[in-house]
Amino acid sequence: MSTTADPQALADHLEQARRDYAELRAQGLHLDLTRGKPSARQLDLSTPLLSLPGAHHTSADGTDVRNYGAPLGLRELREIFSPFLRVPVDQLLAVGNSSLELMHDTVVHAYLGTTVPLPGSPRRWADEERVAFLCPVPGYDRHFGVCERFGIEMIPVPLTPDGPDMDVVEELVRTDAGIKGMWCVPKYSNPDGTTYSDETVRRLAAMPTAAPDFRLFWDDAYSVHHLTDEEVQVADVLTACAEAGHPDRAFVFGSTSKITHAGAGVAFFGGSPANVAWLRHYSGKRSIGPDKVNQLRHVLFLEDADGLRAHMRAHRDILRPKFDAVRRVFDDQLGGTGLAAWTDPKGGYFISLDVLEGCAREVVRLAGEAGIALTPAGATHPYGDDPTDSVIRIAPSYPDLEDLLRTAHGVTVCVRLAGYEKLVADRAA
Ligand code: PLP
C-alpha cells in the first residue's frame, strides 16, 4: 500500500482521519445500518395487500380460505414460487410467515421427532453424542443463532467466489459423522452476495457424507432479489441431489419477507417427497393449517411469475441507487488507500466491507460513538468470532438516500481512523 511506505505521509493521513472523526462526532448523528430491512418505500409497493383479498374467499380449487385445511398452502401461490425456488409444486409447502421459523422447526423435529424418523436418520439428533453444522463464513447470524439454541457445534468453512470451499467441505463431511447439516444461502448470500456455481451445487449434491442423514439447509432467501438486469440462476439442488443418489439431502426454504411485507408474508419449504411427508407429519401436530387468507391476498396481488418479476423490479429501482451510493462513497473515500475492500453484489440485501485485520471491532466501536449503529463485528461468524476481525456487514436498504450517504461517509471516516491507527502502531512495534 503506497501510503504506508512513507512514515510522514502515514502520520498526515492519521492526523486528517482524527480531524474528520472529530467532525463526524460533532454532527451528533443517530443512524442505523444494522439490519437488512426493507424501507418504508419498499413496503409501500405492497400496500394493495392491505385491502386484499376483499370479498374473495375461495381459492382456485374451491377451498374456503377462511376455514381450516389445505395444509400444503394454496396451490396457486405455490405455482407462482415453484419455478423461482426450483421446487416442483407438489413438493413445495406454503406455510407460516417466516422461513427462519421453518428452519428452526425442521431442526426441532430432527432433534425431537419420535414417531417418524428424519429420512435416512438412524436416531433422533437428541440421541446423538454430537451434532455439528458447517457454516460458510461470512454468513447469516440468525442461522448461527438456531445452532446456538440447540447446542449444535458450528464449524466455519470459508466462502470462495463460487460458494463454500468444496475441498474443505468434502473432506469434513466424508470423515465426521457428527456433521448433520450445512447452512447454504446459494444466491446473493448474506452478507457478501456470493452465488454458488453449478459445480459447487453438483459437488454438494454428490459428496459422500459420513452422516446418513446429512442435510443441506438451502436458504434461498434472495432468489428473486436481483440488483441488475441479470436474473442470476442457481442450479436446481433437488434435482442435483436426486441425480446423485441423495434425494433427501436438501431442505429448501424461502419467503416473501423481502418481497411483500416482512413478518406478514408467506414462507415456503421444499424437499423430496419423503422430506415433505416427514415435515408434514410434525407440522400437522402444531397447526391445523396455514393462513390462507394471507396466501390468497398474495396470489391476487402478485398474480403470476411475471407479476412477481415486475414487483421485484420495482424493489430494485429503490434499492439499486442505495447500493450504488454506498459504493460511490467507498470508492471515493477508501479507493486506493489499501484500508478496505467491499463487495459489489448482483442482488440481495448486503455489502460486505472488509477492513484491515484486527480493525472491524474498532471501526464498529468508533461508528457507534459517532452515532452510527453497525452490525456488531463478528456477527457474520459462528460464536460471534471473526478470527481476522475484519468483516463488517453493511445493510443499505432501510435508510433514505440522504441518511445513507451520511452514514456511508461516516463509516469511511471510522475505517480510515482505525486503519491508520493500526498502521502507525504496527510501524512503531
Ligand atoms: N435467511 C436469510 C439469509 C436472511 O438474510 C433472512 C433475513 O434477513 C432470513 C432468512 C429471514 O427470513 P424470514 O423473514 O422468512 O424468516
Side-chain angles (χ1 to χ4, degrees), residues 49-134:
L49 275 179
L50 300 179
S51 44
L52 286 169
H56 300 269
H57 51 74
T58 42
S59 69
D61 67 358
T63 301
D64 188 332
V65 298
R66 300 167 302 179
N67 219 331
Y68 282 137
L72 306 185
L74 294 190
R75 186 174 182 90
E76 51 269 50
L77 183 64
R78 293 185 285 121
E79 278 170 354
I80 296 176
F81 281 87
S82 157
F84 295 102
L85 294 171
R86 310 201 76 175
V87 179
V89 69
D90 290 326
Q91 292 163 233
L92 186 64
L93 307 181
V95 280
N97 68 332
S98 153
S99 60
L100 186 67
E101 198 169 271
L102 282 171
M103 295 175 224
H104 176 276
D105 282 4
T106 48
V107 170
V108 170
H109 301 321
Y111 258 85
L112 299 177
T114 44
T115 38
V116 171
L118 177 65
S121 202
R123 62 191 75 82
R124 305 181 315 161
W125 290 1
D127 297 327
E128 296 283 354
E129 250 173 50
R130 176 174 152 266
V131 175
F133 269 39
L134 298 187

Side-chain angles (χ1 to χ4, degrees), residues 35-37 97-103 140-143 184-185 188-190 219-222 254-258 262-263 266-268 349-350 393:
R35 295 237 70 99
K37 293 195 293 190
N97 68 332
S98 153
S99 60
L100 186 67
E101 198 169 271
L102 282 171
M103 295 175 224
Y140 178 39
D141 52 350
R142 292 187 195 271
H143 288 162
C184 298
V185 183
Y188 309 142
S189 75
N190 175 349
D219 179 358
D220 208 358
Y222 299 108
S255 81
T256 67
S257 288
K258 291 171 182 172
V266 181
F268 299 93
Y349 260 62
F350 302 100
R393 184 179 84 166

